[in-house]
Amino acid sequence: MDPEPLEPLDETWERALCVVAHPDDMEFGAAAAVARWTGQGKTVGYCMVTSGEAGIDGLAPDECRDVREAEQVESARLVGVDHVEFLGLPDGVLEYGVPLRAAIARAVRAFRPDVVVTGNFRDTWGGRTLNQADHIATGRAVLDAVRDASNRWVFADQLGSADGLEPWGGVREVWAFGSPRATHGVDTTATFDVGVASLEAHRAYLDGLGWKDFDAREMLEGFSRPTGQRLGVAFAASFEVVPMGWGD
């Protein structure tokens, strides 16, 4: 049976904040979409909950943190993103809860986006392969933190600070890339190559994985080509869309 077609994402927005657990998360799922949006003149920011310091087995966390942050900044630059924030929470042991919600709510209040992008927060990728715990915790916290950011009585200590933060209720939707419940997609055919380059910018991380004969282009084509068929284009990225309004 053919997979369900995807609906095109609503691209009538100006600002998006991408909140993910680790450096490299965006590049495995949505960097080519980001390149499309920045090419349209939209403003996109990145917020990394951790610095991925536990991600390279042969590199101690203190050294790994610097390497992975630098790789992420360069990777973001390639797709037109110059706002990259690292929240500094511990890699590999993130827990869903109030501290995580508060950190993300602060980032949302500071950036004031129309759309928030995160990664798949479902238990699996649609088959038997389990999702990683940090991804699940971050994505689920994003959903709540977006609502928290709009309520002046939640994390009220953030407001009126030297940063000038105020409540922000302007997020229309949260988009989770790579979700097995995706219903929407965005055409990344024209920006696919720069998406590949952005993943390849994580050289130390990819080398540290020890994957024999890893080919970034081949992997991303494996994700993007079947998704493109569902959207009627060559390459696409898929998203689960979660409305943030009332009564949807």
Side-chain angles (χ1 to χ4, degrees), residues 16 20 27-29 36 95 103-104 107 114 187 201 211 218 230:
V20 292
E27 288 67 45
F28 275 104
R36 170 189 170 96
E95 292 182 301
I104 297 171
D114 307 307
D187 183 358
W211 292 348
E218 182 179 27
R230 295 176 65 189

Side-chain angles (χ1 to χ4, degrees), residues 155-179:
F155 310 131
D157 60 305
Q158 297 178 359
L159 306 179
S161 65
D163 297 329
L165 296 183
E166 294 294 338
W168 178 248
V171 178
R172 292 155 32 183
E173 295 176 333
V174 172
W175 297 346
F177 62 83
S179 170

Side-chain angles (χ1 to χ4, degrees), residues 120-133 135-137 140 179-181:
N120 174 29
F121 53 85
R122 303 299 178 182
D123 290 340
T124 73
W125 298 96
R128 298 176 61 187
T129 302
L130 291 174
N131 198 355
Q132 198 265 355
H135 300 158
I136 296 171
R140 291 178 176 170
S179 170
R181 301 190 189 182

Side-chain angles (χ1 to χ4, degrees), residues 26-27 29-37 79 186-188 191-196 198 224 237:
M26 289 299 299
E27 288 67 45
V34 170
R36 170 189 170 96
W37 296 328
V79 296
V186 59
D187 183 358
T188 58
T191 53
F192 179 78
D193 287 347
V194 72
V196 173
S198 73
S224 303

